[in-house]
Amino acid sequence: MSWSLGREDDTITEWERSDGYATVRVRERADGGFVVRLDVMEQAADESAYERERFGDREAALDRAAEWRDDRTVEE
């Protein structure tokens, strides 16, 4: 299943998997850092998961978000 960009503004960039059961979000923190969050619901065909990591810069956060999307792409 593919991923699509669901939200992109000054604070949050979020992708949603086409089955609707997984999201990856990059959020800018008030201190200028970034948080990346993976959320895979229990109803998903793959194993449910919730992970969260902090990064000092946006590029590192976006790289991690891309890794999670690649790891959680499910065959249709």
Side-chain angles (χ1 to χ4, degrees), residues 4-67:
S4 61
L5 186 61
R7 177 179 174 181
E8 186 170 34
D9 55 39
D10 293 340
T11 307
I12 294 173
T13 303
E14 184 173 63
W15 297 266
E16 182 175 348
R17 197 167 64 188
S18 60
D19 65 358
Y21 291 132
T23 59
V24 173
R25 175 182 283 195
V26 174
R27 177 181 57 84
E28 185 172 6
R29 295 169 39 90
D31 65 6
F34 292 84
V35 172
V36 184
R37 189 252 311 139
L38 166 70
D39 190 6
V40 182
M41 297 180 198
E42 290 182 17
Q43 298 89 340
D46 51 334
E47 185 177 324
S48 68
Y50 185 88
E51 296 185 48
R52 182 179 177 275
E53 293 182 22
R54 291 173 62 174
F55 294 90
D57 65 86
R58 182 170 176 76
E59 287 307 312
L62 290 172
D63 288 346
R64 184 60 173 138
E67 289 172 9

